[in-house]
Amino acid sequence: MRQELRRGTLVLAVLSALRRELCGSDLMTVLAAAGVLIEPGALYPMLRRLEDQGLLASEWRLEAGRKRRFYSASKAGLSTVEVLAEDLSVLMTGLAILREGDHGAN
Amino acid sequence: MAQIDRYLSRIGFWLPYRDRASVLSDIRATLDELLANRAEALARPLTEGEIIAELRAFGRPEVVASRYTHAQPLVSAGLMPAYLRVMTISIVGVAIVQLLLAMATLVADPGEVWAPFIGRVVQGLLWTFSSITLTFAALSRICEARGAP
């Protein structure tokens, strides 16, 4: 169950982080700093999938003598972040009410 | 790097042909980047053992392949209850029909019942399983194309 919850929110976390352009290793660092731990073996396939879905774009560039791939959320990705964040916020509010037990049910 | 080539070859075995070249090229580039990052962090070239450890950390070849493919389940979750119900009814139906046929044969010719009976049951069950699964697999794809759950 925790995995399902995590899977759903990871996409939101990754797209949110990619509001600014980042290479894969920097993305992992940014996510880890925010408490979102993800292994490279899971992150890179997700990046490819999100790119296939048009939610992010990537570009290979030479930086400090090394080829690096930079990722950033596309326009569609940014709108998806907004929609998902709004959905999550509504869900969190509902969940808070339910956890307080003050939801009017007998 | 022989280790990377072997690792990619194992991943390639699990990938569908149409995506293989593109996915493997993507994974190779990713691994090159990861290994270069690691070597940069250590300020020295990686040893063979460290390369193998990095590849292990990236995941088992079959798991990596599954993460890079968008394989659809044979029967969608939405159709699974119907699939299981139809399958159960059909398998029980086939077994009952074959049992009745065996009993009829037993009455006509008591010496020649069990070998043909078992053969017919196995054949009937395999045919039932295959045809129902293929039908539901086709329905799953039709539903998905129409955007139904």
Side-chain angles (χ1 to χ4, degrees):
Chain A
M1 228 176 273
R2 287 181 76 191
Q3 255 192 334
E4 282 174 31
L5 181 65
R6 185 176 148 76
R7 203 175 297 140
T9 48
L10 267 180
V11 170
L12 179 57
V14 167
L15 286 175
S16 299
L18 289 176
R19 276 189 281 201
R20 66 188 171 104
E21 193 181 59
L22 292 168
C23 68
S25 56
D26 288 345
L27 174 60
M28 271 191 290
T29 309
V30 166
L31 289 171
V36 182
L37 298 174
I38 182 166
E39 294 164 9
L43 176 66
Y44 286 94
M46 182 197 285
L47 291 173
R48 182 185 163 96
R49 197 168 58 246
L50 293 174
E51 189 169 13
D52 286 347
Q53 291 168 352
L55 298 177
L56 63 83
S58 74
E59 189 189 7
W60 284 99
R61 280 209 302 270
L62 206 62
E63 199 190 72
R66 271 185 47 204
K67 244 177 91 181
R68 283 174 190 265
R69 192 173 191 172
F70 287 86
Y71 301 88
S72 59
S74 65
K75 211 172 168 180
L78 292 173
S79 334
T80 304
V81 168
E82 296 310 315
V83 172
L84 290 179
E86 179 60 30
D87 287 353
L88 187 61
S89 169
V90 170
L91 203 62
M92 290 299 288
T93 309
L95 191 60
I97 294 168
L98 290 171
R99 289 189 70 193
E100 279 167 19
D102 183 23
H103 45 86
N106 294 318
Chain B
M1 292 190 200
Q3 301 99 324
I4 297 182
D5 288 338
R6 273 200 301 273
Y7 183 68
L8 289 172
S9 151
R10 285 183 198 139
I11 294 172
F13 176 79
W14 299 102
L15 291 171
Y17 179 74
R18 67 173 195 282
D19 299 330
R20 195 173 298 153
S22 138
V23 170
L24 288 180
S25 146
D26 200 348
I27 297 174
R28 182 183 285 279
T30 299
L31 290 174
D32 286 347
E33 196 181 352
L34 286 171
L35 294 173
N37 288 343
R38 182 91 177 112
E40 195 177 80
L42 295 171
R44 60 167 171 80
L46 297 181
T47 63
E48 199 171 311
E50 285 166 344
I51 293 173
I52 292 171
E54 285 291 318
L55 297 180
R56 280 203 183 128
F58 198 71
R60 294 170 62 87
E62 60 274 22
V63 174
V64 174
S66 76
R67 285 173 173 165
Y68 273 90
T69 47
H70 318 301
Q72 193 190 346
L74 203 54
V75 177
S76 68
L79 286 175
M80 191 47 92
Y83 170 74
L84 290 175
R85 178 56 59 92
V86 171
M87 185 66 84
T88 308
I89 292 170
S90 305
I91 283 177
V92 169
V94 167
I96 289 172
V97 168
Q98 291 303 332
L99 194 64
L100 291 175
L101 283 173
M103 286 165 71
T105 312
L106 184 68
V107 173
D109 184 2
E112 287 290 326
V113 174
W114 297 113
F117 167 70
I118 291 167
R120 276 200 311 266
V121 167
V122 170
Q123 206 175 13
L125 290 179
L126 281 176
W127 191 88
T128 305
F129 178 81
S130 309
S131 53
I132 291 173
T133 302
L134 288 174
T135 305
F136 273 83
L139 280 173
S140 298
R141 271 129 197 92
I142 292 168
C143 290
E144 197 207 356
R146 290 182 177 176

